[in-house]
Amino acid sequence: MRELEKHQFNLYPEMGEAEKSELVKDMQTNGFDPQFAIVLFEGKVLDGWNRYLAAQESGKLFKTREFVGDRNDALLYTIRTNKRRDLTQSQKAILATNYKPLLEEEAKARSESNLKNQKPKSGNSKTQETKGKVNKVLAQQFDTSETSIKQATKLKKENPKLLKQVEEGKMSLGNAVKKH
């Protein structure tokens, strides 16, 4: 079996041990379901990391398919297709915060590309506008609030230990902000 790496856009946490064990048992019994192929982008796993790990552990062959689109399409695909995760609101806000730099980078690249094709306007402050739009997009995609994303971003910078507890589901974002 070939070894694969997780793509940088795939920031979702791995399944818990109980969920993973259940998936491995299912694959041992029923095999890998080809309807849910592992999606590759740039030769790495964009979607299906847990299925890949379960296939590896169960010794089953897995099916892959290549994602068709550019980097921005791949990033948005990863965010859109992972609604099924059983994450708390706090964990969703943390995850949105983890995706924030990637979305900002892609938005900046698009903006720079667009500016090359038109005359720049004086006093044009795209950076702040882009950040505001990114928070709004993330809040919508992760079913969380812009306020939670801002709180998680601040906590990430100022107290990574508390952030880790929120990420692991041991504490809510609200409680972590109060403790901070």
Side-chain angles (χ1 to χ4, degrees):
M1 262 190 258
R2 73 180 163 155
E3 295 287 320
L4 296 173
E5 292 178 39
K6 197 174 189 181
H7 194 278
Q8 72 180 54
F9 291 168
N10 187 339
L11 299 176
Y12 281 80
E14 291 181 12
M15 289 179 164
E17 283 304 312
E19 289 175 297
K20 185 179 172 189
S21 176
E22 194 175 306
L23 184 57
V24 169
K25 284 179 191 173
D26 181 69
M27 276 194 198
Q28 287 170 335
T29 303
N30 303 307
F32 184 89
D33 187 343
Q35 289 184 342
F36 298 101
I38 295 164
V39 181
L40 303 179
F41 182 66
E42 299 174 337
K44 297 179 182 177
V45 178
L46 183 65
D47 183 49
W49 184 250
N50 288 308
R51 293 188 305 277
Y52 165 72
L53 293 177
Q56 290 286 84
E57 191 172 318
S58 66
K60 298 294 181 182
L61 294 176
F62 54 88
K63 182 179 178 184
T64 63
R65 73 172 179 85
E66 287 294 323
F67 178 82
V68 178
D70 63 17
R71 288 179 62 80
N72 186 61
D73 294 336
L75 178 58
L76 294 176
Y77 170 84
T78 304
I79 293 169
R80 276 194 328 271
T81 59
N82 282 287
K83 301 287 187 210
R84 66 188 180 276
R85 296 302 308 231
D86 202 18
L87 302 173
T88 66
Q89 287 299 109
S90 297
Q91 289 171 314
K92 288 178 184 180
I94 301 293
L95 193 53
T97 301
N98 292 340
Y99 272 102
K100 188 175 179 177
L102 294 170
L103 274 177
E104 287 173 344
E105 181 183 316
E106 291 300 316
K108 183 180 176 187
R110 278 192 321 279
S111 179
E112 287 172 358
S113 175
N114 289 340
L115 286 175
K116 286 179 184 177
N117 298 328
Q118 53 183 267
K119 291 182 181 178
K121 298 174 185 172
S122 60
N124 190 1
S125 176
K126 284 284 186 190
T127 307
Q128 201 58 35
E129 184 182 330
T130 297
K131 286 184 180 182
K133 286 181 181 178
V134 167
N135 281 345
K136 187 174 182 175
V137 167
L138 287 169
Q140 290 169 344
Q141 291 295 325
F142 285 95
D143 190 29
T144 190
S145 70
E146 290 181 62
T147 300
S148 293
I149 292 170
K150 289 175 185 173
Q151 290 173 333
T153 301
K154 184 176 180 183
L155 198 60
K156 186 176 187 175
K157 289 177 187 172
E158 297 175 5
N159 198 332
K161 286 182 182 179
L162 272 180
L163 183 84
K164 186 78 173 153
Q165 290 182 28
V166 175
E167 201 169 27
E168 293 171 352
K170 295 177 182 173
M171 180 185 297
S172 73
L173 182 58
N175 285 341
V177 168
K178 286 177 190 172
K179 270 191 164 184
H180 178 64

